Amino acid sequence: MNVTSSTVGEITVITASGSIDSKTASEFERTALAAIQGQSLVVMNLTDVEFLSSAGLRVLLMVYRQVKAKDGKVVLAGTSEEILDVMSDTGFLTYFLTTDTLEEGLNTLKTAR
């Protein structure tokens, strides 16, 4: 698993790749939570995430709660159908906006302001 963060204008982009499971979720959490400090617009680019365990879902929920507390928005971009199905079945999907690509995610947040 690899995770990076960057900024596009006012939007924080967190990009992850590989598998996010019980072994890698702590690194994902540490990087994601550090990146969203003081931020209210966040795109989680999951295009290259192959697997997301319940530990990874917990991190997404933590990000959502912290951004939502600032009246912000979180977009999940490029999420695979398998991960979307799990998120839908567990009720997690209702918390997030989703887009097919990172570019669509950025545009969604730019127009949401």
Side-chain angles (χ1 to χ4, degrees):
M1 196 265 321
N2 187 39
V3 60
T4 60
S5 66
S6 60
T7 304
V8 178
E10 298 178 66
I11 302 170
T12 298
V13 179
I14 299 167
T15 301
S17 61
S19 294
I20 302 172
D21 55 23
S22 60
K23 293 180 181 176
T24 60
S26 61
E27 179 184 349
F28 181 49
E29 176 182 338
R30 193 171 35 255
T31 301
L33 294 183
I36 65 167
Q37 294 303 309
Q39 304 301 312
S40 61
L41 299 174
V42 176
V43 175
M44 306 286 289
N45 182 8
L46 304 177
T47 303
D48 294 323
V49 172
E50 301 156 357
F51 175 77
L52 185 71
S53 73
S54 59
L57 289 174
R58 183 181 66 81
V59 175
L60 293 181
L61 189 58
M62 291 171 67
V63 168
Y64 167 79
R65 286 182 175 161
Q66 290 199 17
V67 172
K68 184 67 176 173
K70 297 173 205 134
D71 200 28
K73 296 186 184 325
V74 178
V75 171
L76 303 181
T79 312
S80 72
E81 286 298 320
E82 293 82 12
I83 293 172
L84 288 174
D85 286 347
V86 169
M87 293 182 73
S88 178
D89 290 346
T90 57
F92 278 72
L93 199 53
T94 60
Y95 298 117
F96 301 95
L97 301 168
T98 60
T99 61
D100 290 337
T101 67
L102 174 58
E103 183 177 349
E104 289 174 359
L106 292 170
N107 287 334
T108 296
L109 290 180
K110 287 176 185 173
T111 58
R113 292 227 89 185

